[in-house]
Amino acid sequence: LVRPKYKTISFILILIVFTTFYFYPELNEKWLLGSKPYEALERDYVLAALKRLGVYIISFIMVLSFFSFVPKRKFMFSNIGRNTLYVYLLHGFFVKLFRVLTTESYIHKPGLIIGLAVLSLGLTFILSNKWLTNIVKPLFVLKIPKWKTQ
């Protein structure tokens, strides 16, 4: 995936998918979540199953395309990348909080979108921090103590 030929193909695929979503924003974003039942998204179950399969295939291709651009060297943000599982698992609590606070009505103002991006970046740094990951690691890893395995 890191050869120049594959990077070019990956870039073109990412560009095609981005352009398609940009010029055809009618796509129901609930298809991307995968958490809604078929009847909530489409009347015909077969068509709904094919659409969801298509979304999964596109997602898989995009993940592979993204991997072709992941650097091998370490950077200042490499630690965040190593701890993305904790960011993913813990960010839901903040999403719930923002939904309760009904902040969605404020997001349409341009200055607040920048503030939300800064807040998201700060939250990413906090949730990927070593001290926090050490605290919550036993909850997610569920390691069995050595004395029980002997």
Side-chain angles (χ1 to χ4, degrees):
L1 290 176
V2 295
R3 293 184 189 155
K5 173 184 166 183
Y6 294 116
K7 282 189 176 190
T8 304
I9 293 170
S10 295
F11 180 75
I12 291 170
L13 288 172
I14 290 170
L15 193 62
I16 289 170
V17 171
F18 174 78
T19 305
T20 303
F21 283 127
Y22 183 78
F23 287 112
Y24 299 103
E26 299 87 29
L27 175 74
N28 185 349
E29 71 275 357
K30 291 183 176 71
W31 283 107
L32 302 173
L33 300 175
S35 61
K36 299 292 180 192
Y38 289 151
E39 62 263 7
L41 300 169
E42 183 75 46
R43 284 187 171 171
D44 183 12
Y45 290 111
V46 175
L47 184 60
L50 290 174
K51 281 184 178 181
R52 182 158 290 164
L53 178 64
V55 168
Y56 287 153
I57 290 170
I58 291 171
S59 297
F60 181 71
I61 292 169
M62 289 297 95
V63 167
L64 289 178
S65 297
F66 173 78
F67 281 155
S68 70
F69 293 103
V70 174
K72 291 187 183 282
R73 295 182 303 155
K74 289 195 178 221
F75 292 95
M76 65 177 215
F77 51 83
S78 295
N79 192 43
I80 294 172
R82 187 178 320 118
N83 293 326
T84 52
L85 178 65
Y86 298 102
V87 176
Y88 174 72
L89 293 172
L90 296 172
H91 87 283
F93 297 111
F94 293 93
V95 170
K96 295 271 188 199
L97 175 67
F98 286 126
R99 284 187 180 155
V100 169
L101 297 175
T102 62
T103 54
E104 295 164 355
S105 59
Y106 300 109
I107 294 175
H108 301 293
K109 298 175 184 173
L112 293 176
I113 291 175
I114 294 169
L116 185 61
V118 170
L119 179 67
S120 298
L121 187 61
L123 190 60
T124 302
F125 279 112
I126 292 169
L127 295 179
S128 65
N129 197 320
K130 185 126 178 106
W131 62 267
L132 183 64
T133 58
N134 284 337
I135 291 172
V136 297
K137 190 174 191 173
L139 298 173
F140 298 127
V141 176
L142 300 175
K143 270 193 160 181
I144 300 172
K146 287 184 180 182
W147 57 270
K148 285 190 175 185
T149 59
Q150 295 177 352

